[in-house]
Amino acid sequence: MAFDYKKEYKEFYMPKNKPGIVTVPRMHYIAVRVQGDPNTEDSEYKQSIGLLYGIAFTIKMSKKTNHQIEGYFDYVVPPLEGFWWQEGVEGIDYARKEDFKGISVIRLPDFVTKADFDWAIQEATAKKKTDFSKLEFLTYDEGLCVQCMHIGSYDDEPATIALMHEFMKSHGYVLDITDERMHHEIYLSDARKVAPEKLKTVIRHPIRKAWRKI
């Protein structure tokens, strides 16, 4: 049976719909940088999704090619995720989606190296006749975070975030969003097929102990 990250690492992908504290280890991702309102028809975000999955499945199916990845095991491609920010805003202002900047990502298994990623870019470019040059191999060490499962529309996320921040403060933490530590969302539902009120999204914010000096 294929290894499913959502099932094996439930603490990162299937948290309860109430806030909790989690320490997220370093992970490797397929990544592409985007900006603008992700909901518009031809947004960079929507265009990025096909590119990400193109490389994700090229790596997954590498077992059927001459490129044999050391340590490979069969796995389910992890869900789509996004790191988001806006200039001059600590967190996210949902009324200004046109100002969004983000990094769309899909997690890679730990056995995938930069060399394997580079092979997949070349392989997919040749086979799919598509430009994958915007994609990058990203290593991200997220660290200490507050997170919560948000059920409902993306526009309703502020209410869940308010609960996360209240929980964080009550446990002696403060928000630690910086240029390197960002608002993070993991999309567990396909918005094209699931009603807005039933969408499941993991929301994660970086935090630090309130007493620690910068």
Side-chain angles (χ1 to χ4, degrees), residues 95-214:
R96 293 169 44 197
K97 293 179 181 178
E98 68 277 5
D99 295 334
F100 275 4
K101 294 186 177 181
I103 309 174
S104 294
V105 302
I106 292 178
R107 181 182 179 176
L108 287 169
D110 289 341
F111 58 71
V112 178
T113 67
K114 176 62 163 56
D116 297 320
F117 171 84
D118 290 341
W119 166 83
I121 293 291
Q122 295 178 354
E123 180 80 358
T125 299
K127 286 191 172 183
K128 300 178 184 294
K129 308 301 181 185
T130 300
D131 182 7
F132 290 93
S133 61
K134 291 182 178 180
L135 299 186
E136 58 188 273
F137 182 86
L138 175 69
T139 299
Y140 190 68
D141 193 350
E142 197 162 12
L144 190 65
C145 296
V146 60
Q147 69 177 11
C148 187
M149 178 72 79
H150 171 74
I151 300 176
S153 167
Y154 302 130
D155 288 337
D156 293 335
E157 288 182 4
T160 297
I161 290 172
L163 292 175
M164 290 165 52
H165 290 182
E166 182 180 333
F167 178 87
M168 161 192 83
K169 292 175 182 176
S170 70
H171 285 73
Y173 296 95
V174 294
L175 194 64
D176 194 31
I177 287 180
T178 67
D179 289 345
E180 290 78 34
R181 307 188 74 205
M182 296 158 278
H183 172 96
H184 185 182
E185 299 183 358
I186 303 175
Y187 307 108
L188 301 177
S189 305
D190 187 337
R192 299 169 302 177
K193 302 176 182 178
V194 178
E197 66 272 13
K198 294 182 179 180
L199 291 172
K200 291 184 177 181
T201 308
V202 180
I203 303 176
R204 192 179 290 160
H205 276 180
I207 58 175
R208 60 176 173 81
K209 276 291 188 180
W211 48 261
R212 183 170 69 83
K213 293 184 179 180
I214 301 299

Side-chain angles (χ1 to χ4, degrees), residues 6-40:
K6 296 192 302 299
K7 294 179 180 178
E8 299 296 333
Y9 295 103
K10 291 183 179 180
E11 67 270 33
F12 302 134
Y13 296 99
M14 299 298 291
K16 297 178 180 179
N17 59 343
K18 61 180 181 180
I21 305 297
V22 64
T23 299
V24 185
R26 185 180 69 170
M27 300 180 188
H28 301 308
Y29 297 92
I30 309 166
V32 60
R33 297 175 187 272
V34 299
Q35 61 181 359
D37 186 342
N39 298 317
T40 57

Side-chain angles (χ1 to χ4, degrees), residues 32-100:
V32 60
R33 297 175 187 272
V34 299
Q35 61 181 359
D37 186 342
N39 298 317
T40 57
E41 189 65 29
D42 292 324
S43 67
E44 289 187 358
Y45 171 72
K46 288 184 178 178
Q47 294 175 23
S48 76
I49 296 174
L51 296 175
L52 290 171
Y53 277 107
I55 298 305
F57 279 99
T58 297
I59 293 173
K60 173 178 168 62
M61 301 309 295
S62 63
K63 60 185 179 181
K64 296 186 177 181
T65 72
N66 292 329
H67 186 86
Q68 298 297 298
I69 300 177
E70 184 177 354
Y72 180 97
F73 54 79
D74 195 19
Y75 64 97
V76 177
V77 171
L80 183 69
E81 309 181 36
F83 297 101
W84 299 99
W85 70 92
Q86 291 161 312
E87 299 294 341
V89 177
E90 185 181 46
I92 293 292
D93 181 353
Y94 287 78
R96 293 169 44 197
K97 293 179 181 178
E98 68 277 5
D99 295 334
F100 275 4

